[in-house]
Amino acid sequence: MKSAAAGPAPREEMKRVPLPHGWRCHVSPKGPRNYVNTASNVNGSCHTTGSAIHTRDPPDVPLRRATMDKQQSPGNTSPAKRQTKEMKETKITINCVTFPIPNVTPDQAEQQLLKPNEWSYCDYFWTDKKDPQGTTSVAGFEVLLQKQLKGKQMQKEMAEFIRERIKIEEEYAKNLSKLSQSPLAAQEEGTLGEAWAQLKRSCHDEAEVHLKFSNKLQCEVEKPLLTFRDNFKKELKKYDHHIIDLRKQLASRFAGVEKARKALADRQKDLEVKTQQLDIKHMNKHEEDIKKARRKSTQAGDDLMHNVDLYNRAQSKWFEEMVTTSLELERLEVERVEMIRQNLRQYTTLRHETDMFNQSTVEPVDQLLQSVDPARDRELWVREHKTGELRPVDMDI
């Protein structure tokens, strides 16, 4: 078996790979390599834990992954070395997703947020959330989808609220118009009678104002709320199915890693058993058995590395789609809130206009009320209805 020292060390080999424009490499004293894009502040890292190789490459660096794949197969690692590596484990896999273990080593750099100080969806929904009973878990992306669906439902309920207001306005306008035609107090005379007649006419004018208000509410507020993203739920389903498919692929790759890891453990155990039996059986025959067991162990290690690479690729794809889709959901939510805000502002504008028009209907009433004069009314009434000006006098004897 060739020793890992026979070829160039992975770190030395990676140094010779040119970085893309704008990327810089920083290596901590204990080994983890971090890549920083000086233009966008995007970070990437490359480090090894246990027998698994985990990478997050900066964009356009396919050669660096190829050089890391040349690391020694875990099938060639002795039990003592494996135990040392296991003690340095810095990652944990939860529901088939691999996460760093915070504060495991003093030099471990804390992950930076993708969009600092923005409370972006793409930074806070990576882990699964347990339900209140704790029996099952809900994916972080599902939490985002539920937020979007709830927003859609709230938008629908707002439209229903406006519809109820429209009904009230229509009924109010109908009743006002009917009231304006009432014969009550129609026989009132004089300046007061004129003011009373104007008040009844103002009820009819106000009814027209409220009817127009209800029509504008329907066209300019209710309809936009109902028609905004009619197919929004279907769009969310597409996002959901896509992310679920990627998560299933990731789970399948993780199962492949676990299967390969178990196969490697079995092969290494078989190799150890045969090595311990070296003095018991025939030397020549047993050496052949050891070589055969070592080849199988090496092959199992290669298979494990291959499955880990497939897993990392699947997780990288899921990660990229999660970021892209969560940012898209974030954009859709901003659009929804802005649309509702604009429609509610239109509601308040129409409401102010209605108040203004209503005020204009009562202004003539105010003017006539200021002109009401009881003395003038008495004069007009007396002139029309007087029966005689001569007053009684005493009778003569």
Side-chain angles (χ1 to χ4, degrees):
M1 299 300 296
K2 293 183 179 180
S3 171
R11 180 175 298 178
E12 295 299 325
E13 189 173 2
M14 291 166 64
K15 288 180 179 179
R16 294 197 294 268
V17 179
L19 290 174
H21 177 70
W23 286 86
R24 299 181 63 184
C25 177
H26 301 278
V27 182
S28 67
K30 294 191 177 182
R33 180 179 297 270
N34 295 309
Y35 300 93
V36 179
N37 189 307
T38 56
S40 62
N41 290 328
V42 175
N43 289 341
S45 64
C46 170
H47 53 280
T48 304
T49 56
S51 59
I53 302 171
H54 183 275
T55 61
R56 285 189 61 190
D57 297 335
D60 304 325
V61 195
L63 292 178
R64 185 153 38 257
R65 182 180 295 277
T67 58
M68 289 188 294
D69 289 343
K70 295 180 180 179
Q71 296 188 57
Q72 184 181 6
S73 169
N76 294 334
T77 307
S78 65
K81 291 183 179 180
R82 288 198 306 274
Q83 185 176 3
T84 302
K85 287 184 178 182
E86 290 170 359
M87 293 176 61
K88 297 180 180 179
E89 191 68 47
T90 59
K91 301 175 186 176
I92 184 172
T93 301
I94 304 174
N95 291 344
C96 304
V97 181
T98 303
F99 299 97
I101 301 177
N103 304 322
V104 172
T105 56
D107 66 317
Q108 183 177 3
E110 183 179 356
Q111 285 185 340
Q112 293 186 0
L113 297 176
L114 298 176
K115 300 184 71 175
N117 303 321
E118 294 188 28
W119 292 96
S120 175
Y121 290 166
C122 67
D123 280 317
Y124 297 98
F125 293 91
W126 292 106
T127 56
D128 296 342
K129 180 181 180 180
K130 289 186 177 180
D131 66 359
Q133 288 75 23
T135 55
T136 60
S137 59
V138 179
F141 186 75
E142 183 65 24
V143 176
L144 288 178
L145 286 181
Q146 292 302 322
K147 171 70 168 67
Q148 299 295 318
L149 292 174
K150 180 180 179 182
K152 181 67 174 178
Q153 178 62 26
M154 295 301 99
Q155 177 180 323
K156 180 181 178 182
E157 292 181 9
M158 289 178 186
E160 293 175 356
F161 179 91
I162 299 298
R163 165 46 51 185
E164 292 300 317
R165 179 59 193 267
I166 291 172
K167 291 180 179 179
I168 292 174
E169 291 295 328
E170 291 175 345
E171 188 67 20
Y172 184 55
K174 178 181 178 181
N175 290 335
L176 276 178
S177 180
K178 181 179 180 181
L179 181 63
S180 68
Q181 300 172 9
S182 171
L184 295 175
Q187 296 181 3
E188 180 62 52
E189 301 173 333
T191 56
L192 181 60
E194 293 177 2
W196 175 249
Q198 183 60 45
L199 187 146
K200 291 171 66 176
R201 286 193 295 271
S202 72
C203 288
H204 178 270
D205 295 339
E206 186 178 355
E208 292 295 323
V209 170
H210 284 275
L211 187 60
K212 291 179 180 179
F213 177 53
S214 66
N215 291 334
K216 287 186 176 181
L217 280 181
Q218 183 178 11
C219 297
E220 301 178 20
V221 181
E222 182 197 21
K223 187 176 180 180
L225 286 174
L226 289 174
T227 57
F228 182 69
R229 294 202 191 110
D230 288 330
N231 298 324
F232 186 60
K233 192 171 183 179
K234 294 181 180 178
E235 294 176 5
L236 291 185
K237 286 295 183 182
K238 291 180 181 178
Y239 293 138
D240 190 18
H241 292 161
H242 183 53
I243 296 298
I244 288 177
D245 289 343
L246 291 175
R247 189 68 182 266
K248 288 180 179 179
Q249 294 177 18
L250 183 60
S252 177
R253 296 303 185 189
F254 179 74
V257 170
E258 292 300 296
K259 182 178 179 181
R261 198 186 303 279
K262 183 179 183 304
L264 174 60
D266 294 340
R267 295 300 183 186
Q268 289 177 333
K269 182 177 180 181
D270 181 60
L271 177 59
E272 292 173 10
V273 170
K274 285 182 169 54
T275 303
Q276 292 172 359
Q277 295 175 349
L278 181 61
D279 297 331
I280 301 176
K281 295 186 178 181
H282 189 271
M283 181 68 67
N284 293 334
K285 183 178 183 304
H286 193 57
E287 285 181 353
E288 291 297 327
D289 292 341
I290 291 178
K291 290 180 180 180
K292 184 177 179 181
R294 185 175 289 115
R295 284 194 300 269
K296 291 182 177 181
S297 178
T298 302
Q299 180 61 45
D302 292 339
D303 290 343
L304 176 58
M305 292 183 66
H306 175 67
N307 280 277
V308 167
D309 180 67
L310 293 177
Y311 169 83
N312 286 337
R313 291 175 186 272
Q315 183 169 255
S316 178
K317 179 64 176 176
W318 173 74
F319 170 83
E320 293 171 1
E321 292 299 322
M322 275 285 292
V323 172
T324 302
T325 308
S326 61
L327 289 177
E328 177 66 12
L329 294 181
E330 188 175 303
R331 182 187 66 81
L332 293 174
E333 176 65 7
V334 170
E335 286 185 358
R336 184 188 74 87
V337 172
E338 286 297 323
M339 184 277 301
I340 293 177
R341 184 177 71 91
Q342 292 176 6
N343 279 275
L344 296 184
R345 289 188 65 180
Q346 180 63 16
Y347 169 85
T348 59
T349 299
L350 293 175
R351 187 68 182 82
H352 289 314
E353 289 180 355
T354 302
D355 291 341
M356 182 180 65
F357 291 140
N358 282 336
Q359 182 64 29
S360 67
T361 63
V362 297
E363 286 177 357
V365 180
D366 287 336
Q367 294 174 0
L368 288 176
L369 288 175
Q370 292 174 3
S371 302
V372 170
D373 183 356
R376 176 62 177 165
D377 287 353
R378 185 172 61 251
E379 175 188 350
L380 294 174
W381 187 85
V382 169
R383 284 179 178 274
E384 182 178 356
H385 298 283
K386 65 182 179 179
T387 60
E389 299 178 11
L390 295 176
R391 296 183 298 275
V393 297
D394 291 342
M395 179 185 298
D396 295 335
I397 298 177

